Amino acid sequence: MFSRLLASIVLFSSALLFAGGAMAGNLAQDSWHQIDSANFHIITNGDPAAVRTLAQDLERYRAVALDLLGAKDDGTKLTVYAAADRDSYAGLVGDDLAELTNGLFDTTAEGSYALVNLDGRTGERQLEAREFLFHEYTHFLSYNGTTTHYPYWYSEGFAEFMSTMTFGPDNTYQIGAIPGERAMTLLYTSPMPLQQLLEATAYNTPDEDKGRVYASGWMLAHWLIMNSGKAEQFKGFVKDYNNGADPVKALSKNLGMSFSQIETSYNSRFQNGKFDLARGKVPASFKPARPKVKALSEQQTVVELARFLVKSGYNLEGVEAMVRYAEKKGIYTPELNAVRADAATRIGDFERAQQLLAQVSPPDRSSFWYQKAEAWLWLNREITKFGDERNKVMLKKARDTFVNLVNNQSEQAMHWYGLAMSMEMLGYPKKQYTEMLEQAYLRAPREQHIAQWMAQELYNQKDADYFARVAQPLMLEMTSEAEYNQMKMMLAELKPKGQESAKGGAKGSAKSSAKGTAKDSDRLSAP
């Protein structure tokens, strides 16, 4: 059985395994701005005028992408951290990730965010900054609020395909161009063998081969969308893939082609080097955005960046560097105490977290940032105990605080998750705490620890169909072989009446090139 009681500790502390250097302290010395439009909240130390233009492009891209994908507009606003250069990016994610990536996207129980390096890994402008942003936002559109999974090659290849969208006069757009960095990868290393590509995952692919997955995945996705005539059939593949089918056999079955035929088409794309372009019109309903720019004070900057470091866990050591900077400059705030307490709770240093929160003055303790940190401290401290050892008074306080947070910030899955756990440990009827758990799951279906607990409860209830809808996409996220095999046995035991596709369908598949006319083409050539 899954260790649900340790889920909170694991959820928070696992990020520490990836903590990098403490370069983050230097970030607070930069000038940071907040740029807000209808659907984006951008925090940047880049040129605010240039990033404001990027925000306008993002809004226009969003309108076209929603139309092309047939995706639902749920009004969710995405937070984007746009680092001006490689050093700034490394301060947020640590040196190792800064060497491997130019952008990241993550869905968490606290919401989704994208992170981009506006200047590329080397400090040279390898790619347009908006290509990074379009790529990461495509992930958001594909995965936000849904449990649908795509194979690694398609997830990244499709995001690359969409990232090259450009805009022209008369409200037109063009899509299908060759991403510059991916072209270099294909020319210098050759495409990845098709079977290896189809079976690739983020976990079984060495870091040095991930660029080939992006480039080769783009080439295969481009063929599927623009030339194969199989876009609708590909949706059947996504359904089968989410139901655990072998990716090689499932693609062949759904496309109605033998593996060798698909392989021939795939290889010929590289040999031919010619890739069609499509043009279309930005939806007439789109209204140009007018993003608002606001300079952040040093106090706001330190809290904002420290909160990101704790939430992401990429470079958690950087929090104390931020603290030292704030103390030196005389800009330390009570909210920074809550951020530090949150970080201490995540590594199980409950005494330190308590000391930090005790330093917050009573007038500030009604703030949601304080209540959240305190409730999770209370809850995590009791999770490490068993039975009568637990302090029921503290659990009731945690429960009441989570109720208040849920009532005021109902979109936050974390609040519902905390409420469900506190209710379970207080002995509430299963029906009552699982209702709270379901609310957390519906808001963050891709948060693995929430989904695991949800799956376990559905298994216990013998709700075969609902269990399958939760368990099947969850299995695609699991890195533990033991947990994967256990979930597989549970699925086999319940035997759902029918396999259902994951909620959301093949949301990431474009509607083919019908929205535009493929009149031109782009060609691979040596740089």
Side-chain angles (χ1 to χ4, degrees), residues 5 28 50 85 97 110 112 114 196 262 301 373 392 406 431 438 463 471 482 489:
L5 291 179
D85 49 41
L97 271 178
E110 296 182 79
S112 299
Q196 183 183 352
I262 301 172
T301 294
K392 300 292 186 182
V406 160
K431 184 177 185 299
E438 183 176 34
D463 188 337
M489 287 189 295

Side-chain angles (χ1 to χ4, degrees), residues 61-226:
Y61 172 82
R62 177 181 181 276
V64 175
L66 286 173
D67 188 46
L68 283 176
L69 306 183
K72 181 182 178 182
D73 179 4
D74 63 1
T76 303
K77 198 167 186 174
L78 179 66
T79 296
V80 179
Y81 297 88
D85 49 41
R86 192 267 180 199
D87 288 342
S88 300
Y89 186 69
L92 293 173
V93 305
D95 273 327
D96 290 344
L97 271 178
E99 287 297 326
L100 295 171
T101 66
N102 278 321
L104 297 163
F105 171 77
D106 198 10
T107 59
T108 75
E110 296 182 79
S112 299
Y113 64 84
L115 177 66
V116 293
N117 174 3
L118 296 175
D119 265 352
R121 287 191 293 274
T122 65
E124 300 172 1
R125 291 189 177 276
Q126 297 174 337
L127 297 173
E128 291 286 342
R130 68 178 183 178
E131 286 189 29
F132 300 153
L133 290 168
F134 289 179
H135 178 108
E136 302 307 332
Y137 193 60
T138 300
H139 286 317
F140 174 75
L141 291 177
S142 299
Y143 291 125
N144 181 49
T146 175
T147 57
T148 300
H149 282 72
Y150 300 97
Y152 184 34
W153 65 267
Y154 186 78
S155 179
E156 299 301 345
F158 180 69
E160 286 293 303
F161 173 82
M162 294 293 291
S163 75
T164 61
M165 186 181 297
T166 56
F167 302 103
D170 301 322
N171 235 19
T172 59
Y173 70 85
Q174 180 174 278
I175 196 169
I178 302 168
E181 191 172 16
R182 306 312 167 199
M184 289 190 287
T185 298
L186 290 169
L187 288 166
Y188 289 137
T189 67
S190 77
M192 182 173 280
L194 182 60
Q195 181 160 341
Q196 183 183 352
L197 178 67
L198 297 179
E199 294 175 344
T201 70
Y203 307 111
N204 69 13
T205 303
D207 288 338
E208 60 270 21
D209 283 343
K210 287 181 177 178
R212 295 183 73 198
V213 172
Y214 280 55
S216 302
W218 162 77
M219 193 170 70
L220 184 56
H222 191 288
W223 170 73
L224 278 165
I225 295 165
M226 299 288 287

Side-chain angles (χ1 to χ4, degrees), residues 418-468:
L419 179 56
M421 283 195 286
S422 60
M423 288 173 65
E424 191 222 24
M425 286 190 285
L426 284 168
Y428 274 71
K430 185 180 292 288
K431 184 177 185 299
Q432 292 184 27
Y433 73 74
T434 53
E435 286 176 353
M436 303 303 106
L437 173 62
E438 183 176 34
Q439 292 301 317
Y441 175 75
L442 292 173
R443 286 161 175 77
R446 306 186 77 84
E447 171 44 59
Q448 187 170 338
H449 297 90
I450 294 175
Q452 277 188 273
W453 185 15
M454 186 71 184
Q456 186 68 63
E457 294 294 346
L458 292 169
Y459 172 79
N460 293 341
Q461 296 169 21
K462 304 304 178 188
D463 188 337
D465 291 334
Y466 198 175
F467 171 71

Side-chain angles (χ1 to χ4, degrees), residues 172-307:
T172 59
Y173 70 85
Q174 180 174 278
I175 196 169
I178 302 168
E181 191 172 16
R182 306 312 167 199
M184 289 190 287
T185 298
L186 290 169
L187 288 166
Y188 289 137
T189 67
S190 77
M192 182 173 280
L194 182 60
Q195 181 160 341
Q196 183 183 352
L197 178 67
L198 297 179
E199 294 175 344
T201 70
Y203 307 111
N204 69 13
T205 303
D207 288 338
E208 60 270 21
D209 283 343
K210 287 181 177 178
R212 295 183 73 198
V213 172
Y214 280 55
S216 302
W218 162 77
M219 193 170 70
L220 184 56
H222 191 288
W223 170 73
L224 278 165
I225 295 165
M226 299 288 287
N227 304 102
S228 71
K230 306 283 187 178
E232 286 301 312
Q233 292 89 329
F234 184 71
K235 294 179 181 179
F237 163 77
V238 174
K239 178 179 177 180
D240 287 349
Y241 178 78
N242 278 263
N243 286 334
D246 176 88
V248 178
K249 294 178 180 177
L251 187 64
S252 180
K253 182 195 82 171
N254 283 282
L255 298 190
M257 300 170 66
S258 67
F259 176 80
S260 62
Q261 288 175 319
I262 301 172
E263 189 174 40
T264 297
S265 296
Y266 169 70
N267 289 329
S268 68
R269 304 295 291 167
F270 178 69
Q271 297 300 328
N272 182 280
K274 184 178 180 182
F275 295 87
D276 291 335
L277 306 175
R279 289 191 176 91
K281 282 274 193 179
V282 177
S285 59
F286 173 71
K287 304 296 182 188
R290 295 182 177 179
K292 296 179 180 179
V293 180
K294 171 187 173 184
L296 295 177
S297 68
E298 282 193 294
Q299 287 182 328
Q300 291 171 321
T301 294
V302 168
V303 171
E304 180 74 44
L305 297 181
R307 192 173 296 285

Side-chain angles (χ1 to χ4, degrees), residues 404-425:
N404 184 55
L405 290 169
V406 160
N407 287 336
N408 287 278
Q409 298 177 328
S410 62
E411 75 284 356
Q412 287 281 322
M414 276 192 73
H415 301 335
W416 293 96
Y417 186 42
L419 179 56
M421 283 195 286
S422 60
M423 288 173 65
E424 191 222 24
M425 286 190 285

